[in-house]
Amino acid sequence: MGYGWGKDLKKPEFTKVSDVIWEIPTSFKKGMNVPARIYATKQILDQMDLMVFDQITNVATLPGILKYAYCMPDGHSGYGFPIGGVAAMDAVEGVISPGGIGFDINCLHPDSKISLSNGTWKKVSDLEHEWENKRVKFFNIENKAVENATPIMFMKRMEDNSIFEIVTESGRKINVTAEHPILTQRGFIRADNLKETDNVYTQPFSGVEYEKPSDEVIVSYVDIERILDVIGITNSGNARVQILNTLKRVGLNEIRYNSTALPAILKIMGFVFGDGCISILSKIKKGMTAFYGKKEDLETIKEDIKSLGFKAQNIFSRQRKHKIETYYGTSEFDFTEHSLLKKSTGFAALLIALGTPHGIKTSQPYRIPKWIMKAPLWQKRLFLAAFFGAELSSPKTINAYNFYMHQLNMNKLEILKENGEEFLNDIRLLLSEFCITSTYPTIVEGNQYVGKKGKTIGLRICIHSNPDNLVKLYENVGYEYNKEKSNLACLAANYTRLKESIKSHRSDIRTLALEMYKSGERPRDIRAALLQENISKNFINHSIWPDRSNNVRLPAASITFAFDEFKKNLIGDGIVIDKIKKIEQHPYKGFVYDITINNENHNFIANNIISHNCGMRLVTTNLTLKDVQPKLKELVDKLFQKVPAGVGSEGFLKLTKDEFRKVVEEGAEWCVKKGYGWEEDLQRTELYGRCKDADAKKISQKSVDRGYSQIGTLGSGNHYLEIQHVKPENIIDKATAKAFGIFPDQVVIMFHCGSRGFGHQVATDYLNTFLSVMESKYKIKILDRELACAPFNSPEGQDYFTAMKCGINMSFANRQVILHRIREVFSDVFKQPADKMGLQMVYDVAHNRGSLEKHLVDGSWREVIVHRKGATACFGPNRTEVPKIWQSTGQPVIIGGSMETGSYLLVGTDKAAETFFSTAHGAGRTMSRTKAKGLWRGEQLVKDMQKKGIYVRTVSFPGLAEEAGGAYKDIDSVINAADLAGISKKVTKLVPIGNVKG
Amino acid sequence: MSYKFLEDIAIADVAFEADGKTIENMFEQAGLALENTMVKELETVKTTDKRKITAEGKDTETLLHNFLEELVYIKDAELLLFSKFSGTKIAEKNGKWFMETTGLGEPLNQKKHELLVDVKAVSWHKFSVSKVRGGFKSTVILDI
C-alpha cells in the first residue's frame, strides 16, 4: 500500500517565497497537513533528486506537524524523512492539529452510515454540521472491543474518478474511494488492493438513526420531592435536603430528553424492569437498587452508574442453591449469583420518579412510562435493548440451522393479569416501531404457582422467527448489558443474512434451470452448467420437473455450516468476520467524506529519524599550520590507530554490559567522571553532555549487545575525523570567530560520528513496535513504513522518547571518549600536555534527534517535538537551549562538508525561529554510493588528495571512494543558501589537511 | 539466483535486489548481498564457524527484514561474517512466518577481510518482497 518504487515521481510546482525558500503547496499530495519548504538556491533546488520532494511531502502528512515540513539546503533523499528534513510536532495536549491522529473512516460515499455512541448512526453527509459533538465508534484491535472516540476532523472533498463497491457474502455493502483502508484479516488494506477472498471485519449491529431530542422536561425537582414524600422520606436528620443536594450536585435533579445522562439512565431503567430491583427499606428510610447478572455485564452497569456521577459499589458474588418446580419436573442446581448494589436513596428516588417500579414487581401493576413511549426511537431502543439484555431469550437454534422464536416471559399475580398483558402490549408496540412483529400475550401453562401474595401466572410474548424479523431485531435493537447475547445476536444476524443470500441464489438458479429446460436444453447440459456450491444435482432436477416441490429452502444436509460452527467468525465484541463476495469499481463524481478520530492523544513522534544521533564536535588548538605540518603524517597515523574506524571496530574501553547501561543513562558526564575528559567539556556540549531522564530499562538487550564494545569508535560511511586549517582569508565573522576561540592559521579538529550500532538497534526495536501498533491502535496511516510513528503521549511514544535519549547519551559519550583519545595522541606527538596546546572544545551538537523544545508558534509558546533528520539545531543568542558560555554569541553550528572540499563553522540566529532553529548539517550527496564507487577509485583518490595537501588514512578504499567530493553538493553554495536565508550565519570555513576515514 | 547493487535508488545508502527460484534461495541471496556490502570479496570469508539463525515475521517482508536485521546484530554483537547459508527453511504456521538457516562464516578480521562500509540498519524504505516469474525477488535499502 503505497510503498512502491515511485518511478513516476513528478516534480512539484514550486512557489518562490524568496531567493532561497521554495514552497510546495499542500495541493501537491493528498494528505499533506502543511506545505513543505525547501531552503535552497535555485541552482541547488535543481540539483536535488525528485525523491527529496516526495519524502518531504510525505513528512508533511504526519499528524500534528506544525507550520511547514522543512528541507535544508543539503537535503537529499534518505528513507522516510529526507536527510536535511525538519518537522516540528505539537506536543501540547488539547491543541488539535489537522491530521491529528490517522484516518479511521476514509473517503466514504455520502450515504455511508457512521456508527455513533448509544447505538445510533448518522449518514456521513449528514454529519457535516454536527460531527463535533458526536462520539464515533471504532474497533480497538488490541482489546478487541468497540469503543467510542471523539472526531477531531471532518473532511469533504470532490471525487471525480471512481468509487469501489464492496459487497460481502452476507450482503453488506460499502462504497469507498480507492485509498480507503478496510480492516481485514490481513490488516488494513486499501480498497483497490482488496481481494475477493479477503475476510473483512463487520459490526452487524447498526442501531437506529440519531435524532436530536427535544429539551422537554421528563422529571422535575418537584417530581422527585413528591416521590420522597411517597416513600416516606421526611426531612428529619436533614435526610431529604441531603438527598436532593446529592442529585443537584450530579446534575440529576431535573431530567430532559436532551440530558446527557439520559442514555445511561434509559439503559439502567430497562435493566431494572428486567433483572433489577429497587427496595425502599421503610424502617431506615433508605433506598437501594440491585442488579443481577453476569459479572462482566454488571461491570458495564457499574461504569454507567459512575458516569452519572455516583460512586459505584462493588459486585458481590454468592453461591446459591436453587430448586424450581416447573411443568417438566423439579429442577435443582447450584449457581453463583452476582449482584451489584447501588445504595443511594437519591438514585432510587430518581428511577422511581421516572416510572421504574419498586418493590416486588410481580405483585404490583406498572406499564412502560409514557415519556418513553414518546421518546425518539434511539432512546426507546436503549430502554428496550437493556430490558432484553435482562429478559429476552438469546438466539438459539432448533436444528442447528434455524432459530427459535425469541420469548419474553413475565410472572404476575393472577389478579394483575390484565396489567401484565398491557405491559407486554407496550413492548409489542415499541417493537412494531422497529417493524418487528410479535405474538399476542398468552398465559404460559405450567408457569403458575401459589405464593404468599396469591396465585401467580406466567405471561409470554414471542418474537416471530422469520429471517427478516430476526435480522431487524438483531441489527436495530439488539441487547444492552449482556455481552453474550449481544455477540450471539451479531453472529445470528450475519448467519441469517448469509443463509438468505444463498436461498435467493438458489431461487435464481431454479428459475434459470426451468427456463433453460423450456428452451430445449438437455437436463445433462443444464446440470453441467449450473452445478456449484449449495446447488446439487437433485436440486436442479427438482427445478426442471415442475411437479416437484418448489421449495428453495436449504435442506439441512446441503448447508455446509451450522450456527455453532459459524460462531468462530466472532473475533471481538460485536465484530464478525465476513468474506468479500465482490468488488466493483464504478465511475463516480461527487463528494466523498472523511472523519478523523482521536483517541486521547494527537501528538506524534516520527520514529525513524530520531535515534541515529550522530553529531559533530569541533576542537580548537593553539597550534598553527606551521606547528602541525611537519608532524601531520605521524599525527594522522596515530589517530588512525587510536580512534578505531570501519566495520567491526571495537573501542579501547572494555565495559561490562551493566556499566554500558550507566553510560547510556549518563552520557558524556559518565566519561568525565571516569577521567575521559575535562569538566569544561560538558559546559561546551549540547545539553551539557547528558540527556536527562534517559532510562536503560527502555532499551533492549540486543541494543546493549551491539553497543557495549563500540564506545570510542568512529564507525564507517560518512563518519570521519579531520584535521583542518583556518585560512586567514576564510574567516568571515571575525568577532564571533574570536569569541569561539578561532584565530587565523589555526589548526582545529573536527569529527563526525554517532551512537553506532546501539542507536540503530534502538531505532529498529521501536520501529517494529510502532509498526505493530500504529495502524491498529492509533489509526495512523503513513505513506512510508520508515515514517512509522506513535502519538508522542502514548506509552509507546514515551518509551521511545526515553530510549532515544539513551541513544543521544551514547553518542555524547562516544565523542567524549574520542576527544580524550585525540588529546592523548596530540600529547604523544608534540610531547606536551594537552591543555598546553589548547585542545578546547568549541561545541558538540547532535544532528539526528528528536527534541522536546518550546517554540513560539502563531504567537503563543508551545511545546513541540522537533525532528531533525540530518539537520543541525541553530539556536540564536539568549536561548535556554544554548549552554551558558555561548549565550551572548548564539550556538556554534558545525557543518561538515565532503572530505575534499572543507567544512564550516556558523552561528545560530534569531531568524532561525522560522525553521524551529534548524539548519543544514553537511553538503548533501548528489549520487548513490554504488554510483560513486563506479566513478572513483579509493587508491587514486588518496593520491589526488595528497597532491592537494590532504593526508588520508582509511580502512577501506572503496568506502573512501564513496565519499569523494564529487559525490556531494558544493558545500559553499549549501552554506550560502543557509546564510542568505539567515537561519545561520557563516563564521569561518575550515579546510582539511588530514583525514581519518571510517 | 543472484543479487545486484542498484545505483540510482538510495543516495545516502546502499540498495540491492536479490532473487531466487525459491523463497529460500532468495533469502540466502539477500543475506549474501548484505554481507557483501560490508566485505569486498565474500570468498575471503572462510566457512569455519557455523551459527544457527532464526527469524519470524507476520509476512514474508517482515520475515526477510528481521532476518537481515539479525545478520546486522550478529555482525556487531558477535563480530561474525557469513559467506554461505545452508539448510534454509521457510514456512508459514498459523498466519506467522518462520525461517531457520545455518550461517557459515568466520569472525571479522580487519587485516584479513577487505572491509567496505558498515551496515547500521535495514531500512523499511521501499523494502519489498515479491513473487515474480520464475521465483522470488526482494529489494532492500541498507542504512549506512
Side-chain angles (χ1 to χ4, degrees):
Chain A
M1 45 181 286
Y3 302 132
W5 272 96
K7 288 198 179 83
D8 48 338
L9 291 176
K10 58 175 179 189
K11 186 155 189 166
E13 295 275 322
F14 296 101
T15 310
K16 185 173 173 179
V17 180
S18 75
D19 284 347
V20 283
I21 303 176
W22 308 83
E23 190 166 308
I24 308 174
T26 49
S27 59
F28 175 67
K29 185 181 279 181
K30 186 184 178 306
M32 278 173 71
N33 295 317
V34 293
R37 281 193 164 188
I38 319 291
Y39 279 67
T41 56
K42 181 75 176 50
Q43 187 202 355
I44 294 176
L45 187 74
D46 290 341
Q47 272 181 21
M48 285 182 171
D49 55 310
L50 289 184
M51 199 105 75
V52 174
F53 309 126
D54 186 43
Q55 291 182 340
I56 197 66
T57 48
N58 280 349
V59 168
T61 67
L62 284 176
I65 184 166
L66 295 169
K67 289 168 83 174
Y68 302 100
Y70 303 91
C71 181
M72 293 298 135
D74 54 335
H76 58 92
S77 58
Y79 31 88
F81 264 61
I83 313 295
V86 175
M89 312 309 186
D90 177 29
V92 188
E93 265 254 332
V95 182
I96 294 168
S97 359
I101 197 157
F103 298 88
D104 208 28
I105 306 162
N106 207 331
C107 292
L108 300 160
H109 185 273
D111 288 342
S112 313
K113 294 176 183 176
I114 307 297
S115 286
L116 305 171
S117 60
N118 295 322
T120 63
W121 58 260
K122 206 68 182 150
K123 275 187 195 167
V124 69
S125 50
D126 291 342
L127 280 173
E128 187 174 346
H129 302 293
E130 47 174 305
W131 57 273
E132 277 161 294
N133 47 9
K134 294 284 177 297
R135 299 272 291 160
V136 176
K137 282 191 170 181
F138 72 97
F139 180 55
N140 183 334
I141 294 184
E142 185 144 290
N143 54 21
K144 296 197 171 10
V146 177
E147 294 175 3
N148 298 316
T150 309
I152 57 162
M153 185 168 77
F154 187 89
M155 267 166 53
K156 177 180 170 185
R157 71 171 171 90
M158 187 53 88
E159 168 72 35
D160 55 2
N161 186 3
S162 62
I163 203 157
F164 283 77
E165 181 181 69
I166 294 150
V167 184
T168 68
E169 282 190 334
S170 71
R172 295 178 195 283
K173 230 184 259 177
I174 189 165
N175 284 293
V176 297
T177 53
E179 72 285 356
H180 174 88
I182 301 255
L183 183 57
T184 72
Q185 278 185 306
R186 293 193 284 146
F188 279 95
I189 309 282
R190 284 168 57 123
D192 55 357
N193 288 337
L194 283 171
K195 293 187 211 134
E196 296 209 338
T197 48
D198 270 326
N199 284 313
V200 297
Y201 287 28
T202 61
Q203 182 200 222
F205 173 75
S206 47
V208 179
E209 182 166 10
Y210 178 80
E211 174 191 338
K212 201 174 170 194
S214 71
D215 67 347
E216 191 187 329
V217 176
I218 301 169
V219 155
S220 69
Y221 188 74
V222 180
D223 296 325
I224 299 169
E225 274 196 300
R226 206 176 50 233
I227 293 299
L228 292 177
D229 283 340
V230 171
I231 60 180
I233 305 223
T234 58
N235 205 19
S236 76
N238 227 11
R240 200 180 158 117
V241 171
Q242 271 182 17
I243 290 166
L244 289 166
N245 279 346
T246 307
L247 287 175
K248 199 171 174 186
R249 181 176 52 82
V250 295
L252 295 176
N253 52 345
E254 183 185 82
I255 305 290
R256 294 167 186 261
Y257 279 109
N258 61 358
S259 296
T260 48
L262 192 60
I265 291 175
L266 276 161
K267 284 193 285 173
I268 289 167
M269 279 180 69
F271 197 88
V272 174
F273 268 81
D275 285 339
C277 178
I278 302 174
S279 332
I280 303 296
L281 308 168
S282 49
K283 274 187 198 155
I284 54 169
K285 303 267 165 60
K286 281 209 182 328
M288 189 170 86
T289 312
F291 303 83
Y292 303 92
K294 285 220 176 73
K295 218 168 169 181
E296 55 177 5
D297 300 319
L298 294 177
E299 290 290 352
T300 315
I301 297 176
K302 191 172 153 184
E303 283 307 307
D304 276 350
I305 293 176
K306 250 178 152 165
S307 78
L308 295 177
F310 288 98
K311 269 191 221 133
Q313 259 92 10
N314 287 329
I315 291 163
F316 301 98
S317 305
R318 58 173 176 164
Q319 284 301 124
R320 300 197 78 167
K321 274 197 192 308
H322 231 71
K323 189 172 166 184
I324 299 182
E325 299 289 338
T326 70
Y327 182 68
Y328 310 98
T330 307
S331 166
E332 276 186 69
F333 51 94
D334 287 344
F335 75 108
T336 312
E337 180 194 81
H338 301 284
S339 59
L340 173 71
L341 288 182
K342 176 63 209 152
K343 291 180 192 162
S344 161
T345 314
F347 182 75
L350 176 70
L351 292 182
I352 296 168
L354 283 163
T356 320
H358 65 281
I360 298 163
K361 281 177 285 181
T362 316
S363 55
Q364 54 179 311
Y366 57 85
R367 298 276 298 266
I368 290 183
K370 284 206 181 74
W371 67 268
I372 291 182
M373 300 305 283
K374 57 176 203 171
L377 196 62
W378 66 270
Q379 295 192 343
K380 287 175 179 150
R381 190 206 75 88
L382 287 172
F383 174 84
L384 207 53
F387 180 62
F388 285 173
E391 288 292 285
L392 187 69
S393 62
S394 61
K396 234 181 257 137
T397 51
I398 306 171
N399 55 359
Y401 306 102
N402 296 316
F403 292 93
Y404 279 110
M405 290 204 288
H406 285 268
Q407 296 182 358
L408 188 65
N409 292 311
M410 79 185 293
N411 293 326
K412 252 345 200 207
L413 283 181
E414 194 176 29
I415 49 164
L416 293 173
K417 171 172 173 270
E418 207 170 304
N419 173 261
E421 285 169 351
E422 279 167 351
F423 176 83
L424 290 174
N425 278 325
D426 286 346
I427 298 281
R428 294 185 64 234
L429 191 61
L430 285 179
L431 281 171
S432 73
E433 291 191 48
F434 294 87
C435 303
I436 297 168
T437 63
S438 49
T439 60
Y440 290 109
T442 50
I443 293 179
V444 189
E445 296 299 327
N447 260 12
Q448 356 187 307
Y449 65 91
V450 182
K452 272 184 253 168
K453 301 214 168 181
K455 191 179 172 194
T456 308
I457 53 162
L459 293 167
R460 169 183 293 167
I461 56 169
C462 292
I463 293 173
H464 290 122
S465 62
N466 47 309
D468 186 40
N469 206 44
L470 288 182
V471 166
K472 280 180 198 146
L473 174 70
Y474 301 147
E475 296 186 353
N476 303 336
V477 182
Y479 300 90
E480 291 281 350
Y481 291 154
N482 197 318
K483 214 184 239 183
E484 189 186 340
K485 287 184 193 173
S486 168
N487 281 338
L488 280 171
C490 286
L491 281 165
N494 267 21
Y495 183 74
T496 308
R497 277 172 168 271
L498 184 55
K499 257 180 23 185
E500 286 309 290
S501 96
I502 298 173
K503 258 159 66 180
S504 102
H505 181 63
R506 279 163 68 88
S507 169
D508 291 348
I509 294 286
R510 173 147 291 178
T511 316
L512 185 63
L514 196 58
E515 274 170 17
M516 286 167 86
Y517 185 66
K518 280 182 181 160
S519 68
E521 289 198 44
R522 290 185 306 171
R524 209 206 308 173
D525 296 335
I526 300 173
R527 284 195 297 267
L530 300 179
L531 216 58
Q532 54 190 277
E533 197 185 359
N534 292 317
I535 306 290
S536 66
K537 197 168 122 188
N538 267 343
F539 180 82
I540 298 170
N541 288 344
H542 282 255
S543 309
I544 297 173
W545 294 298
D547 57 311
R548 305 291 178 107
S549 144
N550 206 26
N551 193 352
V552 294
R553 218 183 53 198
L554 285 165
S558 88
I559 310 184
T560 44
F561 59 94
F563 182 58
D564 265 343
E565 206 187 309
F566 188 78
K567 284 181 186 165
K568 66 170 190 282
N569 290 321
L570 185 86
I571 51 97
D573 284 331
I575 301 294
V576 180
I577 286 171
D578 198 354
K579 204 185 216 156
I580 293 182
K581 193 169 155 196
K582 93 183 168 200
I583 305 166
E584 277 173 7
Q585 191 173 5
H586 302 295
Y588 179 79
K589 249 187 197 313
F591 285 114
V592 287
Y593 297 81
D594 254 13
I595 292 175
T596 303
I597 65 156
N598 176 7
N599 329 20
E600 296 167 41
N601 304 297
H602 50 263
N603 306 300
F604 298 84
I605 192 166
N607 159 285
N608 67 313
I609 47 153
I610 313 165
S611 62
H612 306 197
N613 305 319
C614 13
M616 303 289 297
R617 200 171 257 219
L618 180 65
V619 182
T620 57
T621 66
N622 55 21
L623 306 170
T624 62
L625 186 64
K626 222 164 62 199
D627 302 326
V628 175
Q629 201 89 68
K631 304 251 185 191
L632 183 65
K633 192 168 177 296
E634 187 189 352
L635 200 56
V636 172
D637 287 343
K638 284 207 163 130
L639 283 169
F640 183 69
Q641 253 174 39
K642 289 260 190 163
V643 182
V647 186
S649 49
E650 292 190 284
F652 78 102
L653 268 183
K654 301 292 173 213
L655 298 180
T656 63
K657 292 181 183 176
D658 282 343
E659 193 64 25
F660 179 73
R661 289 173 188 275
K662 277 191 200 154
V663 174
V664 301
E665 287 185 351
E666 297 171 15
E669 224 179 270
W670 179 92
C671 306
V672 173
K673 225 159 52 187
K674 298 283 173 190
Y676 305 114
W678 307 337
E679 245 339 292
E680 57 205 283
D681 293 342
L682 299 179
Q683 304 306 315
R684 293 159 178 263
T685 306
E686 198 179 27
L687 304 172
Y688 301 102
R690 176 182 186 170
C691 195
K692 300 260 170 0
D693 304 321
D695 183 353
K697 284 198 277 300
K698 301 294 182 195
I699 58 173
S700 69
Q701 185 58 42
K702 270 195 156 171
S703 62
V704 175
D705 293 347
R706 276 183 75 178
Y708 83 108
S709 61
Q710 295 184 333
I711 293 188
T713 63
L714 266 183
S716 78
N718 62 350
H719 296 137
Y720 62 85
L721 188 163
E722 264 183 10
I723 299 176
Q724 299 168 336
H725 176 214
V726 183
K727 287 189 178 170
E729 66 271 27
N730 280 342
I731 300 181
I732 300 131
D733 175 351
K734 287 191 176 124
T736 311
K738 198 175 170 200
F740 286 160
I742 302 288
F743 60 85
D745 247 344
Q746 184 184 24
V747 166
V748 298
I749 304 119
M750 179 184 281
F751 59 98
H752 172 219
C753 68
S755 52
R756 304 281 281 110
F758 171 73
H760 284 266
Q761 191 65 41
V762 171
T764 299
D765 292 343
Y766 280 91
L767 194 76
N768 290 334
T769 308
F770 287 3
L771 281 172
S772 69
V773 297
M774 185 176 52
E775 292 208 342
S776 59
K777 191 167 168 189
Y778 297 113
K779 312 284 183 277
I780 303 168
K781 222 181 62 179
I782 46 162
L783 297 172
D784 183 336
R785 275 174 290 193
E786 280 286 334
L787 290 177
C789 54
F792 179 62
N793 278 331
S794 66
E796 294 85 0
Q798 285 295 307
D799 282 356
Y800 173 61
F801 192 56
T802 309
M804 181 209 72
K805 290 172 176 172
C806 295
I808 294 172
N809 282 336
M810 163 63 179
S811 82
F812 285 146
N814 194 23
R815 292 190 291 272
Q816 184 61 43
V817 170
I818 291 175
L819 172 60
H820 176 74
R821 299 296 268 177
I822 293 169
R823 285 176 179 150
E824 282 182 358
V825 169
F826 269 77
S827 332
D828 181 24
V829 172
F830 293 97
K831 310 290 177 226
Q832 52 178 315
D835 53 350
K836 285 268 160 51
M837 292 177 282
L839 288 169
Q840 181 73 267
M841 245 174 87
V842 176
Y843 204 47
D844 176 309
V845 59
H847 55 221
N848 278 326
R849 73 186 190 98
S851 139
L852 186 61
E853 297 166 5
K854 279 207 171 110
H855 288 269
L856 202 55
V857 181
D858 300 330
S860 57
W861 286 94
R862 284 211 223 169
E863 276 208 305
V864 303
I865 295 292
V866 185
H867 300 71
R868 297 189 182 94
K869 164 80 176 180
T872 315
C874 54
F875 292 100
N878 306 318
R879 289 277 312 199
T880 51
E881 292 85 352
V882 181
K884 284 193 197 91
I885 67 160
W886 305 130
Q887 279 287 312
S888 59
T889 51
Q891 177 207 313
V893 176
I894 306 158
I895 301 184
S898 79
M899 62 184 182
E900 291 183 79
T901 53
S903 301
Y904 274 88
L905 175 65
L906 296 86
V907 67
T909 61
D910 293 332
K911 178 129 199 304
E914 68 181 57
T915 54
F916 292 92
F917 295 101
S918 313
T919 188
H921 87 306
R925 297 191 73 91
T926 56
M927 69 176 72
S928 73
R929 292 173 177 280
T930 309
K931 193 168 185 173
K933 232 164 17 182
L935 289 178
W936 292 281
R937 282 182 46 79
E939 292 84 344
Q940 188 58 42
L941 213 54
V942 170
K943 284 180 197 150
D944 294 348
M945 285 170 72
Q946 190 98 56
K947 278 181 205 149
K948 290 187 202 165
I950 311 167
Y951 177 64
V952 193
R953 283 296 304 266
T954 178
V955 284
S956 163
F957 287 115
L960 188 75
E962 293 176 9
E963 294 296 320
Y968 281 87
K969 291 194 192 96
D970 172 29
I971 183 77
D972 297 325
S973 40
V974 168
I975 299 296
N976 282 340
D979 186 274
L980 271 173
I983 52 176
S984 45
K985 283 287 172 191
K986 289 191 261 191
V987 175
T988 184
K989 185 178 177 177
L990 305 159
V991 294
I993 54 171
N995 185 311
V996 172
K997 172 71 196 58
Chain B
M1 50 189 240
S2 65
Y3 57 84
K4 64 166 188 259
F5 293 99
L6 309 171
E7 273 194 9
D8 289 315
I9 302 302
I11 288 197
D13 302 299
V14 169
F16 67 78
E17 233 173 54
D19 55 44
K21 277 202 183 77
T22 63
I23 190 156
E24 284 86 358
N25 289 156
M26 185 274 280
F27 268 57
E28 290 178 356
Q29 289 302 312
L32 293 177
L34 182 138
E35 300 289 337
N36 200 178
T37 306
M38 301 187 284
V39 192
K40 195 175 178 193
E41 307 290 346
L42 277 187
E43 299 78 59
T44 61
V45 179
K46 293 224 176 81
T47 54
T48 48
D49 289 42
K50 281 187 190 163
R51 190 189 188 286
K52 200 176 158 198
I53 302 161
T54 58
E56 56 181 79
K58 67 175 162 69
D59 48 33
T60 49
E61 283 192 354
T62 319
L63 185 71
L64 178 63
H65 196 270
N66 290 347
F67 167 56
L68 296 177
E69 286 280 5
E70 191 66 17
L71 296 180
V72 174
Y73 166 75
I74 293 170
K75 176 266 302 171
D76 272 346
E78 299 167 28
L79 295 175
L80 263 182
L81 293 175
F82 302 109
S83 54
K84 194 179 172 197
F85 297 98
S86 82
T88 308
K89 272 183 247 158
I90 292 172
E92 192 206 350
K93 208 179 155 190
N94 301 329
K96 231 180 169 180
W97 287 83
F98 296 88
M99 94 163 273
E100 70 169 57
T101 186
T102 305
L104 295 119
E106 67 173 332
L108 183 155
N109 181 339
Q110 286 197 351
K111 292 201 180 77
K112 194 174 147 193
H113 305 124
E114 190 181 344
L115 298 167
L116 304 172
V117 288
D118 200 5
V119 176
K120 294 189 292 199
V122 181
S123 167
W124 270 115
H125 186 54
K126 305 209 177 295
F127 192 93
S128 79
V129 167
S130 53
K131 201 165 184 318
V132 289
R133 263 181 64 165
F136 291 83
K137 195 180 104 174
S138 64
T139 313
V140 178
I141 295 178
L142 300 170
D143 188 350
I144 299 303

